[in-house]
Amino acid sequence: MVLLVQRLSKVYFKLENHLHHHRHEPEALQASLQDFESHISICLTQLSKPGSEFLSLSWILQCFEILPSVNKAFAKLVVDIDYPMCKWEENSVEEYLEFSLTLLELLNSISSSVSHLGHARLCLSHAVDLVESSPSSAIERLKAVQVKGSSSIKDGFRKTQNKEDGDERLNFSSKEKILHLALLEVKRVGLWICGVILAGLSGDSKPYLETIKELGGLSGSTLSGLDSSFCEAIKQGVVLKEVRELNDSAACFAAAIEAGNSSHGVEELKRKLQAFEKLIDSLTKEVDLLFSMLLAGRNELLNGIRKVLN
């Protein structure tokens, strides 16, 4: 959804006066959908390259980089089929706005988890600073980074449940049908990414499992292959690579202090703390940026709708 609301709001105001020379027969519409799905597949492939470390902060940052590209592809599809938001069925508009609100709430949860990891890093850094003045205090504070743990995120999903093709959607126009299928995939990708990010940051698979349940599974989705790989990665537990390495380094340093060799391992721990800090800072900026852009775009779109209604 990032950048998407802003892009669609521009489409909403400008596209009606823009001349398109595309054909919109069923075959052409289907081709546009296939192009969209192909782009999504390419984006997701970036997350499953050989050697990808699924449970790592660096991989989580890659997940955030995928979202703008996915949403840009959706905005392009809307333009390609000449179907601006002002022409959407009421249910689609509502579905879109509910989804954007869901992402805002999930980003809040992600931000809280990132802040917790940042605080844990500060505690370890403080312990290193105490080594010379109070070795015993340093040892006491050189404890493993404790992830926040997860709480239920079901309430944050709102009306994001997927509706199967059929029933009332059989009466939708061809463009509305294409829109529905594309929006469904954007929702799947956005919610799945938030679910795996929250799982990694909290050290608990619960957010991810709740996401899969709310989505009704991923059968037939471009996410299915990536999801299978992620499932395999968390079978042994959900611990971020950087957290695990930081904890190992802190434990070794604490043992060295107890043995009377406070210089052993300190530089290694400092390097890991610095690297961890950079990743946390990058992730914090990414979350804040996405939240701000999504909120601003959503408000802009809502204001545009109010102007049309008035």
Side-chain angles (χ1 to χ4, degrees):
M1 298 298 297
V2 179
L3 293 180
L4 176 57
V5 179
Q6 292 173 317
R7 287 177 176 273
L8 285 180
S9 62
K10 292 179 181 179
V11 172
Y12 182 83
F13 291 118
K14 298 180 180 180
L15 192 58
E16 283 296 280
N17 297 319
H18 185 73
L19 181 62
H20 293 279
H21 299 286
H22 299 288
R23 296 173 64 204
H24 298 299
E25 290 83 355
E27 294 80 5
L29 293 174
Q30 187 65 31
S32 294
L33 178 63
Q34 290 174 348
D35 287 343
F36 165 78
E37 292 174 338
S38 176
H39 183 84
I40 300 301
S41 180
I42 292 173
C43 288
L44 296 177
T45 299
Q46 303 302 310
L47 297 178
S48 56
K49 289 182 177 179
S52 295
E53 191 82 37
F54 289 103
L55 296 173
S56 67
L57 288 175
S58 55
W59 186 76
I60 285 176
L61 280 170
Q62 291 179 23
C63 287
F64 271 108
E65 292 171 359
I66 293 298
L67 290 174
S69 184
V70 169
N71 295 311
K72 179 180 179 181
F74 180 62
K76 179 179 182 300
L77 172 70
V78 170
V79 175
D80 286 345
I81 66 175
D82 190 13
Y83 198 47
M85 184 170 279
C86 56
K87 294 182 179 180
W88 291 10
E89 297 285 345
E90 182 180 347
N91 287 342
S92 292
V93 174
E94 181 181 356
E95 185 178 23
Y96 173 83
L97 292 174
E98 288 287 355
F99 174 51
S100 67
L101 185 57
T102 293
L103 284 190
L104 286 172
E105 294 178 346
L106 292 177
L107 283 174
N108 266 330
S109 296
I110 290 172
S111 179
S112 177
S113 295
V114 173
S115 295
H116 179 81
L117 287 177
H119 177 72
R121 184 205 65 80
L122 284 174
C123 290
L124 284 180
S125 295
H126 180 57
V128 173
D129 294 336
L130 288 174
V131 171
E132 292 186 6
S133 61
S134 180
S136 59
S137 296
I139 293 175
E140 183 180 347
R141 289 170 171 77
L142 282 170
K143 298 178 180 179
V145 172
Q146 298 296 319
V147 292
K148 185 177 183 180
S150 68
S151 56
S152 176
I153 60 173
K154 289 182 180 180
D155 293 341
F157 283 102
R158 296 179 174 271
K159 298 179 181 179
T160 60
Q161 293 89 346
N162 299 326
K163 296 181 180 179
E164 296 297 330
D165 296 336
D167 52 60
E168 73 275 12
R169 290 196 179 273
L170 286 174
N171 297 321
F172 282 16
S173 67
S174 296
K175 290 183 180 181
E176 184 70 18
K177 185 68 172 181
I178 295 296
L179 173 70
H180 165 63
L181 293 174
L183 180 55
L184 179 59
E185 193 64 8
V186 171
K187 288 167 59 179
R188 281 172 174 164
V189 173
L191 295 178
W192 185 87
I193 284 179
C194 286
V196 298
I197 287 176
L198 279 170
L201 295 176
S202 66
D204 189 346
S205 61
K206 185 177 180 180
Y208 161 73
L209 296 175
E210 288 186 349
T211 298
I212 297 300
K213 183 178 180 180
E214 290 294 322
L215 289 174
L218 297 172
S219 177
S221 168
T222 51
L223 270 168
S224 57
L226 180 59
D227 181 66
S228 296
S229 297
F230 184 79
C231 282
E232 191 66 28
I234 65 174
K235 283 184 177 179
Q236 302 302 318
V238 186
V239 182
L240 291 175
K241 172 187 176 183
E242 293 84 359
V243 170
R244 182 176 64 252
E245 292 179 346
L246 195 57
N247 287 341
D248 290 345
S249 184
C252 289
F253 184 45
I257 297 174
E258 289 182 326
N261 186 10
S262 60
S263 63
H264 179 72
V266 63
E267 293 303 322
E268 177 67 15
L269 179 56
K270 285 182 177 180
R271 282 195 295 272
K272 291 188 180 300
L273 284 169
Q274 290 174 353
F276 195 79
E277 180 181 18
K278 288 182 180 179
L279 286 170
I280 290 296
D281 286 347
S282 296
L283 192 53
T284 299
K285 291 177 182 178
E286 201 69 38
V287 174
D288 290 345
L289 177 62
L290 297 183
F291 187 93
S292 297
M293 294 177 68
L294 180 58
L295 183 61
R298 177 185 168 83
N299 289 339
E300 180 182 350
L301 181 57
L302 289 173
N303 288 336
I305 292 175
R306 293 189 188 98
K307 289 180 180 179
V308 171
L309 293 177
N310 291 333

